[in-house]
Every structure is written in C-alpha cells, then in structure tokens.
Amino acid sequence: MTAPVIGRGEARALDEEDELAAFRGRFVIDEAAPLYFDGNSLGRLPRSTPARLLQVVEEEWGRGLVGSWSFWMDRPRVVGDFLAEHLLGAGAGEVVVGDSTTVNFYKLVVAALEARPDRRVIVTDETNFPSDRYVLQGLAEQRGLELRLTTGDPGPAEIAAAVAGGDVALVTLSHVSFHSGAMLDLPAITAAAHAGRALILWDLSHAVGAVPVRLEEDGVDLAVGCAYKYLNGGPGAPAFTYVRRGLQEQLRQPIWGWFGAADQFAMGPNYRPAPGIDRFSVGTPPIVGLASVEEGAAMVAEAGVDRVRRKSLDLTDLAIGLFDEWLAPLGAELVTPRAIERRGSHLSFRHPDAWPICRALIENHRVVPDFREPDVLRFGFAPLYTRFVDAWDAIDRLREVLARREYEAFSSERSRVT
Amino acid sequence: MTAPVIGRGEARALDEEDELAAFRGRFVIDEAAPLYFDGNSLGRLPRSTPARLLQVVEEEWGRGLVGSWSFWMDRPRVVGDFLAEHLLGAGAGEVVVGDSTTVNFYKLVVAALEARPDRRVIVTDETNFPSDRYVLQGLAEQRGLELRLTTGDPGPAEIAAAVAGGDVALVTLSHVSFHSGAMLDLPAITAAAHAGRALILWDLSHAVGAVPVRLEEDGVDLAVGCAYKYLNGGPGAPAFTYVRRGLQEQLRQPIWGWFGAADQFAMGPNYRPAPGIDRFSVGTPPIVGLASVEEGAAMVAEAGVDRVRRKSLDLTDLAIGLFDEWLAPLGAELVTPRAIERRGSHLSFRHPDAWPICRALIENHRVVPDFREPDVLRFGFAPLYTRFVDAWDAIDRLREVLARREYEAFSSERSRVT
C-alpha cells in the first residue's frame, strides 16, 4: 500500500481546502520559529489559555479565595465529564481529572489486581511506555506477580494467547504506542482480554484528542491518559482516570485521601469511599492545571475528533507517500504501520543514525521532530496546527539530511530529549 | 498565662511598628472585601504570581515548547532545594516538589513500612488530618497492620509509651494540628520515636512558612507538606516530599515512574531508581504549579521565617488576650495551647454553636474564619498580610456575635466548608 506522492504546491492546495485550517490561528505560533513536529510530546499553547489561567488565578483565587472551593470541589469531575462526552466516548461520572498519568495508572493497576486476587499475572507489551512498565515492575516485585510481556504492538491473537491460561488479572497496553506510533486494535484486544476474564486498562496518552476513542461502546474497564499532548493542556497538566461505571463500586482505590472520601468535610474517624468515580481522587485537586486542561480539550472538542482524525490520516498519508519515494531508498525504515486503522497521529522512522539526524534537522533545517532510543525519529502530526505544507517541508528536509549525510557532523553528540 | 489586653489604637500602633508590614502590599487584597482569616486553608495570591505564570505559560511553554524540558526537568528538585534551604532546615537534595500532599504521604508511608518489615504498627493521633489518617487506614487494612492512635496532640511521653513495645514501624503526626492549632514538640517526639527504633514522618502542611522547621537539626526521617497555605502557592499547588539523605538509598518508593528512574530517557527495560531524592518523583511534573509554589515561597523566604514566627506569635498573643477578656465569659473555649512553643499560626475556638457563629461572622460582619466539625472555629493569622488591627477587629466582631447571640439566626443552616 503506497500513498501517492504529491508536490509542494499540492500540499499548499490541501491546506487551502482544509476545514480545520482556522484552528492553527488559535494557537501561539511564532512563524519565525522552527517547524514543530513534537505535539505528540508537548502540545502547543492555545491562545485562549493565558487569559483563562489569569481569570482562575486573579479572580477565583485572588478575589474569591477560599470561597471558590464551592465550585472548585467539583472541577475534577466536571472536566472529566467533558472529556468523557467529547473525547473518550464515556458517560458522565466515569472520568475524573487529577494527579499524573503514572499515579493514576498505579491506582488502577492496584485496584485491578485486588479485584482478581486469585490471579498472579499482568500482561503488557515490552515496548509499552516506560513509566507504565515501571509501575508494573514495581508492583510485580512487591507482590510476587508475573509480568508477561508480548513482543511489540500485539494484536488480539497475541493477547488471546497470553490470557489463555486463566491466570491473568490484568492486561494493560497503550492504545497508540509512544515508540512505534502503532494504534492497537482496542476493541478486539479488549474482547480478547475479557474472554480470558482479565480486566483491561488502556493508556490513552498518545491517542486522546488524535483518534476516536469509544470506551463505553468497546466495553473498556479502565483507562488513563495525559492531557499535555494532543489536548494541549500544558507541561505536566493533570491526567485523567476512567473507570467503567459498573466497576466503580467493586474496586478498592489504594490511596485513600480526603478528596476520595464520602462526606469529605465530616472528616470522620473512618474512610468511606465516595460514591462513583470520585473515589479515584486523592488529594486537593490542581485547580489551575484543571482549567488549562479544559481550555485545551475544549478546542479539540470543538474541532471534533472525527475531523481531527481525518486530517491526521491525510497528513500521515502525505508523509508516508514522500517517505516511500524519498526516504526508503536512503536507508530509513518506516516503523509505524501503514494500515490506517493501525496508525496513530505520529510516524516513527528507524535509522541507525537517528540521533544525529534529529540534531541535523534541528540545527540545519529548523525542523523539530524527536528522538527515542535507540534509533527512532518521531514526527508528530497534530492536526489542529500542523499544515500539509509543514509535513511536506519536514520530509523534504529529512531527505536533504539523509541525501547529503548532514548528520555525520553531529554523530559525536549524545544527549537526552523528552 | 494571660496575654495583655490592648485597645484598637494600640493594635494600629503595632502595625505601624511592624517590620513585615510592607509585605501586605505585595498580595492581591481587595480592601473592600471581608477580613480574611483563612490563610491557613488557602493563602492569598502574591501580586507577582500572575506575571510569573504568564512567563512560564507564554514564553517557556508557548515559545520554548518541548525544548524547555532542558530546564523543566530539574524544577522539582530546584524548587525543593529552595524550600529545604529557606523554610525546612534541610540540605540540598533532600526535598522534591510534585504530586499532592496525600500522594506524597502515601509514598513515604509505604516506603517506611517496607523498611521495617518486621514491625506491624503505625502510630498516629486520632485528631490528625483526615487525609493522612485515611491513607494509614487504607494501608493498615490492606496489609493487616495495627493503627495505634494517641488521643489528641500527643507529647513525647505519649509517643514514648506508644513505641515502647518495639513493634512500631512508623510514627506520623502533623507538626501543627489542622484542628486544634497545637504545635507538637517535633524534636522531642522525633527523639522518642527514634528511641523506639521507629521511623518518623511529619506532615508540615500547617507549619511550613509559619513556624521555623529544622528537619536536619532535629534528625527527622521523612516529611511532607502542602504549598497552598502559608506558602501561598495557589489552590491544589504541588506539595513537597522530604527524605533524610542517609535514608534515601535505603527506601523503596512504591510508585515507580519515569521521573523517578535513573537515566530516564534510556527508557530501558528495567526500572532503576534515580540516585537521591529524585526517586521520590513519579510522573511528569506540574511545571506551572511549580512556578506558583516558588513564587509564593520566595516571599516567605525573603521575609524570613523567624520574623514571620515572631509576628505570628504577636498576633496570636493579641487575639488570646482579647479572647480571655471578651470571649471566655461568653462561652467560647480556646482549644489552641497558650504556651508559645505549643502554638502554631492559627487559633481554634470551641463553641457549641460554632457553625452558625461562623455564618454570622461572614454574613453580618464580613469576617472570614473557618469551621471544622464538630464545634471548632478557626482563625488563621498569616503574618505576611494579616494586620494587628485586623486581628483586633475580628475578635471584636466575634464578641458582638456572641454577646448579641447573632448566631441564633443562622442556627438552622448546615453546610460544607473547606
């Protein structure tokens, strides 16, 4: 399956027809700055966010003071309900926002393990996001559990095989892989996990706001995800937690805090979990961060995830077409699956010199992709602000870097990136 | 021990002599708004904070984008080092900022329990802050541990008795009680816990920024605390975690995340904890919240905690003097200890009608204290922006409410407050 190659003029024409083109103007973009292809790592700043944050800080905090808790109290669930309805295909009362993705992941993994006390195995993929793998390792070590690893972007058959023994408590995977850009078959894998009577927990960090997610329709048990990538919520923005309604009262959330307690201000001697999704909250919620998440997510909701997804596929189609024509002959390998139903919104290219290539793109060509160990170059195509001509230019410059071996000048460098 | 009663003019004179008076002008204060005595719950907004947050959001995020991680990476420890040096009496590399107080408390409690695997008891006080008690309950239930409760603001003798059996893994208390306003004898209680070979974990939420804290000098093992009270970091600001240097490498932090891992961007197959305090971090740090904490804490550091403490004691002396003269005869009881070494920066009064009294103060007199179940009225005296004349006026108005039984008009109301 090869996508058609187009010229730069055709890319420009696509921008002119783009029904989402106007959204680009709603982000802070310095047109003199390098071309940014790292929205899959840190999304851009919406123009409306600074004013919104000032309103929260100056009015709600500065003037409203402690009285603002009358409405702040509900913010984790209000923002959660918004994400549920517009971006996650979940119901009201199934999503709450707060804490980091990793802390939320920990809470749900522990809750899932304790809901399946007779099962001693957790299934994940060896290429899953490190923070998720580390949480699982820590719990496996502490509880004497087995961590059963699939070997790279599994499909439903691999998951069916992994759970076939009836010993698996939990299957947890990323919907879109941070590393390969592959989108896993969420509905079929969820069904496979359920067929083995395992619970399933999806990390939606690289999916939410970029691909349609239908948690309820697909019968997903548990999910977490981050708000600073395609939701443009800002660095370290609070993350979300989804728990299927029918499961909420059965699960024991392990970190018992006052914001997860019923009748919180009774401050009674004994913890009773709050009804519903609130029990998955812990401490005082990050009010400024919640506003930033809401502001970013609202723009994605306004654009509509289905339209965002269509443009994302058009952008990656264009890039894959140019890849086949220009880059494959120069030694780069496309890691991301070509099938549109297996592709997220970033593309990963493998090349033995990926790191110096990344440096050459930034230094010589003012194009910002990112690098992931050991040999992967990632290009994020965030549809709300990435133009077709940007995608064309980026691949064109990558071609130059490869064709002229510009990366050789950077081959002695080594560094860390996010 | 009765403090002297002074007149309103004398209170004004104290303000004129106050060496910290100028700090009040550096907060956002609407002089037409009610008198605010809830800085022990949510500190006021520093005037400099909005501009600082805009700088982080517009410049660092909006323009710097993912490149800003080159310095954001270290922010949890940089802000931690600042708190350590200026407010906590701890060394560089002993404090990290991120996550909520409760999540941090959970991490340290689990780490402490696993460091004393042969001991099955946790000691705390029955009046300790609910979120802390709830975390302990959850862990005690899950691990089959005993929660041994002292009965209200214990001294070193009670703690010595509680740990005498040699079965206590951890003693954990609040330095200043959210409920009574009592300041516990941190050095002596720490020594008593250590004499029983238990670890000690202090919650400094109601102490930090209001009373001098000398974690290193007092040999404290572990501490957490919140930044939105006397540090004025904003609603739900990230909290801090302190771990004594000599203990850091011995402890197993239970939530293994990528920001707690050594060589984070190697993203290798196996988690190795980062050296030092960094292993107590988990997920991506809340960058905007960290800036807000730093901005608030910097002002307290500039004022100097010793000066803050002196003014705090002068303010509470004034209020206690007026209490004895005016309020005790009207049926109110001072819950907070009178001894200056046992007093934090808020005063708690007990009265059977505390809730309607609170309502009457707010509605009739534009004074904002807060209420804690079942019968306590709290007045926080945040020294950086509370004037002596404010303290005088507040107690005077409380006198009116009591003397005229104004609270009776509110006695049918019942509500929740923070």
Side-chain angles (χ1 to χ4, degrees):
Chain A
M1 174 158 53
T2 302
V5 180
I6 67 168
R8 193 169 193 272
E10 289 168 278
R12 281 197 170 283
L14 287 174
D15 285 319
E16 276 163 31
E17 296 160 16
D18 174 16
E19 59 182 358
L20 297 180
F23 282 94
R24 180 175 164 90
R26 292 168 62 184
F27 290 89
V28 171
I29 298 182
D30 174 0
E31 297 294 354
L35 289 177
Y36 190 62
F37 286 88
D38 222 355
N40 53 313
S41 179
L42 177 67
R44 283 189 181 275
L45 170 64
R47 279 193 191 279
S48 64
T49 295
R52 174 72 191 278
L53 298 188
L54 278 185
Q55 196 264 329
V56 171
V57 169
E58 296 188 328
E59 294 305 314
E60 296 179 18
W61 169 19
R63 301 193 192 283
L65 288 164
V66 80
S68 294
W69 277 111
S70 63
F71 55 92
W72 285 341
M73 294 296 300
D74 298 325
R75 298 286 297 148
R77 207 181 48 242
V78 168
V79 181
D81 282 348
F82 185 88
L83 299 183
E85 178 181 353
H86 296 283
L87 300 167
L88 297 174
E94 292 192 312
V95 177
V96 71
V97 183
D99 292 324
S100 70
T101 311
T102 305
V103 167
N104 291 331
F105 184 78
Y106 173 90
K107 288 184 254 181
L108 294 188
V109 172
V110 173
L113 293 175
E114 296 189 354
R116 294 283 186 278
D118 52 327
R119 293 175 164 225
R120 312 294 298 166
V121 181
I122 306 169
V123 171
T124 192
D125 191 74
E126 66 178 13
T127 70
N128 197 1
F129 188 68
S131 213
D132 294 5
R133 287 190 283 106
Y134 297 158
V135 165
L136 299 175
Q137 278 189 349
L139 288 166
E141 180 189 280
Q142 189 233 335
R143 292 164 180 249
L145 306 176
E146 178 192 340
L147 204 51
R148 188 173 292 161
L149 301 175
T150 54
T151 55
D153 301 334
E158 284 90 340
I159 297 304
V163 303
D167 53 359
V168 175
L170 176 70
V171 174
T172 179
L173 295 162
S174 293
H175 187 16
V176 173
S177 164
F178 86 104
H179 202 265
S180 69
M183 181 163 75
L184 303 194
D185 186 348
L186 184 147
I189 287 174
T190 298
H194 286 165
R197 301 182 63 82
L199 291 166
I200 188 136
L201 162 52
W202 286 99
D203 186 333
L204 304 173
S205 293
H206 288 78
V208 64
V211 304
V213 175
R214 299 183 181 89
L215 296 176
E216 198 164 322
E217 183 180 322
D218 292 331
V220 170
D221 300 311
L222 307 163
V224 297
C226 117
Y228 54 74
K229 300 179 183 293
Y230 298 106
L231 297 190
N232 309 303
F240 63 85
T241 298
Y242 157 87
V243 180
R244 180 165 56 77
R245 184 181 304 282
L247 208 54
Q248 290 171 3
E249 309 284 325
Q250 297 170 42
L251 294 187
R252 182 186 186 280
Q253 197 270 96
I255 312 180
W256 291 7
W258 69 326
F259 270 78
D263 200 8
Q264 173 180 358
F265 286 98
M267 296 186 163
N270 294 308
Y271 178 85
R272 285 182 304 112
I277 194 70
D278 287 349
R279 67 182 58 190
F280 295 89
S281 288
V282 178
T284 310
I287 297 304
V288 179
L290 283 164
S292 194
V293 170
E294 193 176 45
E295 201 64 30
M299 207 184 332
V300 185
E302 182 187 335
V305 171
D306 289 331
R307 292 202 299 170
V308 167
R309 174 62 171 167
R310 274 198 299 278
K311 182 173 173 187
S312 164
L313 288 171
D314 290 343
L315 283 163
T316 50
D317 269 348
L318 180 153
I320 291 171
L322 298 177
F323 167 86
D324 287 336
E325 183 78 6
W326 296 341
L327 305 183
L330 292 169
E333 177 195 346
L334 179 65
V335 178
T336 310
R338 286 160 182 273
I340 61 169
E341 68 277 15
R342 293 284 78 81
R343 200 195 300 163
S345 202
H346 69 275
L347 294 178
S348 297
F349 302 114
R350 182 172 287 134
H351 190 285
D353 294 298
W355 171 251
I357 290 168
C358 186
R359 297 289 304 134
L361 277 168
I362 294 170
E363 296 298 326
N364 296 358
H365 296 278
R366 302 172 55 74
V367 169
V368 181
D370 75 8
F371 166 77
R372 283 292 177 259
E373 291 285 358
D375 55 4
V376 161
L377 204 59
R378 301 191 306 181
F379 285 80
F381 298 87
L384 291 188
Y385 49 77
T386 304
R387 294 173 301 201
F388 290 94
V389 72
D390 298 333
W392 198 97
D393 287 344
I395 303 298
D396 182 52
R397 291 173 198 183
L398 177 54
R399 169 170 65 162
E400 278 191 53
V401 168
L402 293 175
R404 299 179 187 175
R405 305 180 74 84
E406 291 178 18
Y407 53 87
E408 289 177 350
F410 298 91
S411 61
S412 62
E413 282 189 32
R414 209 77 193 86
S415 182
R416 72 178 188 193
V417 283
T418 47
Chain B
M1 173 159 55
T2 301
V5 180
I6 67 169
R8 193 169 193 272
E10 290 168 277
R12 281 197 170 283
L14 287 174
D15 285 320
E16 275 162 32
E17 296 159 15
D18 174 16
E19 59 183 0
L20 297 180
F23 281 94
R24 180 175 164 90
R26 292 169 63 184
F27 290 89
V28 171
I29 298 181
D30 175 0
E31 297 294 355
L35 289 178
Y36 190 60
F37 286 87
D38 222 355
N40 53 313
S41 179
L42 178 67
R44 283 190 181 275
L45 170 64
R47 279 193 190 280
S48 63
T49 295
R52 173 72 190 278
L53 298 189
L54 278 186
Q55 196 264 329
V56 171
V57 168
E58 296 187 328
E59 294 305 315
E60 296 179 18
W61 170 19
R63 300 192 192 284
L65 287 163
V66 80
S68 294
W69 278 112
S70 63
F71 54 92
W72 285 342
M73 294 296 300
D74 297 326
R75 297 286 299 149
R77 208 180 48 241
V78 168
V79 182
D81 282 349
F82 186 88
L83 299 183
E85 178 181 352
H86 297 283
L87 300 167
L88 297 173
E94 292 192 312
V95 177
V96 72
V97 183
D99 293 324
S100 70
T101 311
T102 304
V103 167
N104 291 331
F105 185 79
Y106 173 89
K107 288 184 254 180
L108 294 188
V109 171
V110 173
L113 293 175
E114 297 189 354
R116 294 283 187 277
D118 52 328
R119 293 174 164 224
R120 312 295 297 167
V121 181
I122 306 168
V123 171
T124 192
D125 190 75
E126 67 178 12
T127 70
N128 197 2
F129 188 67
S131 212
D132 294 6
R133 288 190 283 105
Y134 296 158
V135 165
L136 299 175
Q137 278 188 349
L139 288 167
E141 179 189 281
Q142 189 234 336
R143 290 163 180 248
L145 306 176
E146 178 193 340
L147 204 50
R148 187 173 292 162
L149 300 175
T150 54
T151 55
D153 300 335
E158 285 90 339
I159 297 304
V163 303
D167 53 358
V168 176
L170 176 70
V171 175
T172 180
L173 296 163
S174 292
H175 187 16
V176 173
S177 165
F178 86 103
H179 202 266
S180 68
M183 181 164 74
L184 303 193
D185 186 348
L186 184 147
I189 288 174
T190 298
H194 285 166
R197 300 182 63 82
L199 290 166
I200 188 134
L201 163 52
W202 287 99
D203 186 334
L204 304 174
S205 293
H206 287 78
V208 64
V211 303
V213 175
R214 298 182 183 92
L215 296 177
E216 198 165 323
E217 183 179 323
D218 293 330
V220 170
D221 300 311
L222 307 164
V224 296
C226 118
Y228 54 75
K229 300 179 183 293
Y230 298 106
L231 297 189
N232 308 304
F240 63 85
T241 297
Y242 158 87
V243 180
R244 180 165 57 76
R245 184 182 303 282
L247 208 53
Q248 290 171 4
E249 309 284 324
Q250 296 170 43
L251 295 187
R252 182 185 186 279
Q253 197 270 94
I255 312 179
W256 291 6
W258 68 327
F259 270 77
D263 199 6
Q264 174 180 357
F265 286 97
M267 296 186 163
N270 294 308
Y271 178 85
R272 285 181 304 113
I277 194 70
D278 287 349
R279 68 181 58 189
F280 295 89
S281 288
V282 178
T284 309
I287 297 303
V288 179
L290 283 163
S292 193
V293 170
E294 193 176 43
E295 202 63 30
M299 207 185 332
V300 185
E302 183 188 336
V305 172
D306 290 331
R307 292 202 299 171
V308 167
R309 174 62 171 167
R310 274 199 299 278
K311 181 173 174 188
S312 163
L313 288 172
D314 290 343
L315 283 163
T316 50
D317 269 349
L318 180 153
I320 291 172
L322 297 177
F323 167 86
D324 287 336
E325 183 78 7
W326 295 340
L327 305 183
L330 293 169
E333 176 195 347
L334 179 65
V335 178
T336 311
R338 287 160 181 273
I340 62 170
E341 68 277 14
R342 293 284 77 81
R343 201 195 298 164
S345 202
H346 69 275
L347 293 179
S348 297
F349 302 114
R350 182 171 288 133
H351 191 286
D353 294 299
W355 170 251
I357 290 168
C358 186
R359 296 291 304 134
L361 278 167
I362 294 170
E363 296 298 326
N364 296 358
H365 296 279
R366 301 171 56 72
V367 169
V368 181
D370 74 8
F371 166 77
R372 282 293 177 258
E373 293 284 357
D375 55 4
V376 162
L377 204 59
R378 301 191 306 180
F379 285 80
F381 298 88
L384 291 187
Y385 49 77
T386 303
R387 294 173 301 200
F388 290 95
V389 73
D390 297 333
W392 199 96
D393 287 344
I395 303 299
D396 181 52
R397 292 174 197 183
L398 177 54
R399 168 171 65 163
E400 279 192 52
V401 167
L402 292 175
R404 300 180 186 174
R405 305 180 74 84
E406 292 178 16
Y407 53 87
E408 289 178 349
F410 298 90
S411 61
S412 63
E413 281 190 32
R414 209 78 194 86
S415 181
R416 71 177 189 193
V417 283
T418 47

